[in-house]
Amino acid sequence: LDNALVSDDIYGLVQNPSIGSFSLVTTNLFRFMRELFYFVIYNISGTTPFLYRLGNILFHLGTSIILYAFVSRRVNEKAGLIASFIFAVHPVVVESVTWISGGVYAQYGFFFMLSLFLYSESARCKKLYIWSLIFFIMSLFSSEKAFVLSPIFILWEYVWGKPKQYQRWLPFVALSALWFLMFIGLGGILGQRNMDLTTQFYQEGSRFYNPLIQLPAAISTYARLIFYPMSLSFYYSEFS
């Protein structure tokens, strides 16, 4: 819990002049929930790592518990225990829990998993469906990356529900589509990312990789690390 701040933590927390100001929350729409997390903890304990990392751990613990409940309801309790225990201690997940800046993944993962669980239970209680939408929005507000998760609601309907009842999953897909358009059009994220790569990481500007090459390589690497998590490193990009 007291391990030092590293990498993006230095730039995003220690050297960020806005970290203690509420303007940090109001000016970053796409990470409103995460910036609020930073704002509250900074005003309690400054840049002391303890509470930041404790928050990440609690998000991860919450996701593990929800995963247990979700799988237990869909399959059985034994399967729920196995799935949640593997997720809770898998080495690939460690980075997003112990690295403070990586905690955004643990945070939006928690809200998404809670949304999916409530969605799966909403057939018997319509109020749960509303809460599912709310937590999905909170997931989107935690990280812009969460918009790619909406197809999982469609997949759930095909496996356990009624896929032709599109009025159930369509709001989630529509929210994700809207979020994506806002992210590209209003956020200026791509331009900012390009600037960061050139000014902070000294890489070539305006360089975009071919997704037909990049995506298969990334997916195959993730699959290998899930089943054979050896030689893990914080900075894969630093090695040739």
Side-chain angles (χ1 to χ4, degrees):
L1 287 169
D2 285 323
N3 282 353
L5 301 167
V6 296
S7 186
D8 289 358
D9 302 340
I10 306 300
Y11 173 75
L13 293 174
V14 179
Q15 298 178 358
N16 187 347
S18 303
I19 190 65
S21 170
F22 195 72
S23 63
L24 177 73
V25 181
T26 58
T27 57
N28 197 340
L29 171 66
F30 295 101
R31 290 197 178 192
F32 167 79
M33 294 293 296
R34 188 62 184 176
E35 303 297 0
L36 182 62
F37 172 82
Y38 287 148
F39 170 77
V40 171
I41 294 183
Y42 180 84
N43 282 280
I44 294 175
S45 62
T47 56
T48 303
F50 186 94
L51 288 181
Y52 295 97
R53 194 163 285 116
L54 179 63
N56 290 356
I57 292 172
L58 291 176
F59 280 126
H60 180 63
L61 177 62
T63 305
S64 302
I65 293 171
I66 297 166
L67 179 62
Y68 162 74
F70 179 81
V71 177
S72 295
R73 293 279 291 179
R74 305 274 76 78
V75 188
N76 56 57
E77 186 174 1
K78 183 178 180 181
L81 283 171
I82 293 172
S84 59
F85 281 149
I86 290 175
F87 175 78
V89 301
H90 198 291
V92 167
V93 187
V94 166
E95 185 176 295
S96 61
V97 181
T98 60
W99 175 33
I100 289 171
S101 295
V104 64
Y105 299 99
Q107 181 169 333
Y108 87 72
F110 167 76
F111 288 123
F112 171 75
M113 197 64 215
L114 182 55
S115 172
L116 181 62
F117 176 71
L118 294 176
Y119 180 89
S120 69
E121 298 291 309
S122 62
R124 59 182 180 83
C125 180
K126 291 184 178 179
K127 288 184 179 179
L128 295 181
Y129 181 84
I130 302 299
W131 280 107
S132 176
L133 269 175
I134 291 172
F135 284 117
F136 184 68
I137 293 171
M138 292 176 71
S139 180
L140 291 171
F141 272 120
S142 295
S143 172
E144 68 280 355
K145 298 177 179 67
F147 75 83
V148 302
L149 297 173
S150 60
I152 295 179
F153 294 99
I154 304 176
L155 179 62
W156 188 94
E157 291 290 353
Y158 269 93
V159 176
W160 286 294
K162 299 177 180 179
K164 292 184 178 180
Q165 292 184 355
Y166 61 88
Q167 67 273 19
R168 279 178 51 80
W169 52 260
L170 186 59
F172 296 89
V173 176
L175 277 170
S176 292
L178 176 63
W179 209 252
F180 176 75
L181 292 174
M182 292 174 60
F183 172 70
I184 296 298
L186 301 179
I189 301 297
L190 295 181
Q192 182 62 46
R193 179 62 174 173
N194 193 41
M195 183 183 297
D196 291 344
L197 289 175
T198 55
T199 59
Q200 298 175 37
F201 300 99
Y202 311 106
Q203 296 184 17
E204 296 181 27
S206 302
R207 182 178 180 180
F208 295 94
Y209 293 97
N210 184 347
L212 296 179
I213 297 174
Q214 190 179 23
L215 290 177
I219 292 172
S220 62
T221 301
Y222 292 142
R224 177 180 62 80
L225 292 175
I226 287 171
F227 293 102
Y228 189 68
M230 298 296 290
S231 303
L232 297 177
S233 170
F234 187 74
Y235 287 116
Y236 282 100
S237 60
E238 301 299 315
F239 304 102
S240 60

